[in-house]
Amino acid sequence: MSVLLDNQFRELPPDKSVDTKIFLDNVSHIPAFFDCLGSKVFSIIKSDINGNITKIRAVYLKDPAKYVTLQDILEAEREAHQAEWPKVGATLALMWLKRGLHFIQILLQSLADGERDENNPNLIRVNITKAYEQALKRYHGWIVQKIFNAALLAAPYRSNFLKALSKGEEVKEEECLANVRQFLVNYTPTVDAIYQMYTNLNAELDYTV
Ligand code: 0SG
């Protein structure tokens, strides 16, 4: 089975609200995936994403009945923190987490669409660079961009990445890409819904780190 299909996101309800518990269960599987990628540079990213998830979960666990959806959390923090909001609490953690999720979405979509460097067909640098430029680069100053450059050099070969997605099993490329496409069916609308929520609540910030 595939890592992705084991952790398939749920179809969103008609109002596009994202259930906090289900979302946290889904994203909690992402950090472990970095252990399959080989290089220590990925531990920086793993720990950043882990930190985001821990922060959102801590808020949720304070009152699960109050924070049923992610929007419940943002609205409660807006009320509680006033001028400090949105650069605070789970609102800030989810703002960054969604950028990482968007990166993963673009990377997987690019692989599923068959985009590749014809001169180096077993590299995924073109796919990673596309995802980085669209999802993250504008939020990064030059030091973090250097971390990205190091991650790019340490990126796994396409065949190894697809194998890692297939939990180490030798799976035909087409089968693995079919799993990626299936995963994206609910994943993409979930990421889109979180972005839309940030736009609707005027919670998006565009400073660089
Ligand atoms: C095949 C694999 C290829 C991987 C290529 C990876 C490319 C991405 C490389 C980027 C390297 C990022 C390293 C970390 C950068 C962090 O500084 C930033 C900003 O972090 C936020 O800063 C924190 O996340 C916030 O934490 S919070 O929970 O407490 O709120 C907060 O600290 C904030 C600062 O807030 S402030 O002080 O200003 O108020 N993080 C990112 O840019 C997110 C990076 C996500 C990368 C996702 C890559 C996924 C790869 C998946 C492969 C399948």
Side-chain angles (χ1 to χ4, degrees):
M1 244 323 222
S2 135
V3 172
L4 297 174
L5 292 190
D6 283 355
N7 304 299
Q8 181 79 277
F9 280 55
R10 287 259 189 98
E11 189 179 350
L12 290 181
D15 69 359
K16 308 257 186 271
S17 60
V18 181
D19 182 283
T20 310
K21 183 175 184 315
I22 296 173
F23 174 77
L24 286 170
D25 286 348
N26 286 143
V27 295
S28 66
H29 297 283
I30 295 174
F33 182 69
F34 289 98
D35 298 334
C36 313
L37 296 181
S39 168
K40 285 231 161 54
V41 71
F42 297 115
S43 60
I44 301 172
I45 302 167
K46 178 182 174 181
S47 123
D48 194 63
I49 292 181
N50 247 333
N52 299 149
I53 297 170
T54 303
K55 221 168 194 175
I56 301 164
R57 180 176 288 112
V59 171
Y60 171 68
L61 290 176
K62 274 188 207 154
D63 194 343
K66 181 178 175 189
Y67 301 126
V68 173
T69 68
L70 293 176
Q71 181 149 337
D72 293 332
I73 296 182
L74 265 65
E75 288 175 346
E77 288 191 337
R78 181 177 61 184
E79 183 70 24
H81 296 284
Q82 308 269 332
E84 260 185 291
W85 189 86
K87 206 175 185 181
V88 70
T91 305
L92 179 68
L94 182 60
M95 184 187 307
W96 281 100
L97 179 61
K98 76 176 177 18
R99 291 169 184 165
L101 299 179
H102 190 204
F103 173 95
I104 293 170
Q105 175 195 334
I106 298 167
L107 172 60
L108 293 179
Q109 188 66 60
S110 173
L111 290 168
D113 292 345
E115 291 172 352
R116 62 168 89 203
D117 175 355
E118 294 304 337
N119 296 319
N120 299 288
N122 201 23
L123 296 184
I124 55 172
R125 290 181 189 161
V126 287
N127 315 89
I128 292 172
T129 302
K130 176 180 182 178
Y132 183 69
E133 285 176 351
Q134 291 188 16
L136 289 169
K137 189 175 181 184
R138 62 182 291 203
Y139 306 108
H140 289 166
W142 68 273
I143 294 176
V144 181
Q145 288 190 24
K146 277 199 180 302
I147 300 175
F148 167 74
N149 289 333
L152 190 62
L153 290 177
Y157 287 112
R158 177 189 177 84
S159 48
N160 289 342
F161 183 69
L162 296 180
K163 190 173 170 185
L165 287 180
S166 309
K167 295 209 290 199
E169 290 166 23
E170 292 294 348
V171 171
K172 288 209 174 77
E173 176 168 326
E174 245 338 291
E175 193 184 325
C176 185
L177 292 178
N179 288 338
V180 168
R181 287 185 199 101
Q182 183 57 40
F183 173 76
L184 288 169
V185 167
N186 290 337
Y187 180 83
T188 299
T190 302
V191 176
D192 289 350
I194 297 172
Y195 269 80
Q196 191 59 53
M197 174 177 72
Y198 272 77
T199 303
N200 293 346
L201 297 177
N202 205 15
E204 187 66 67
L205 298 174
D206 67 357
Y207 64 95
T208 55
V209 290

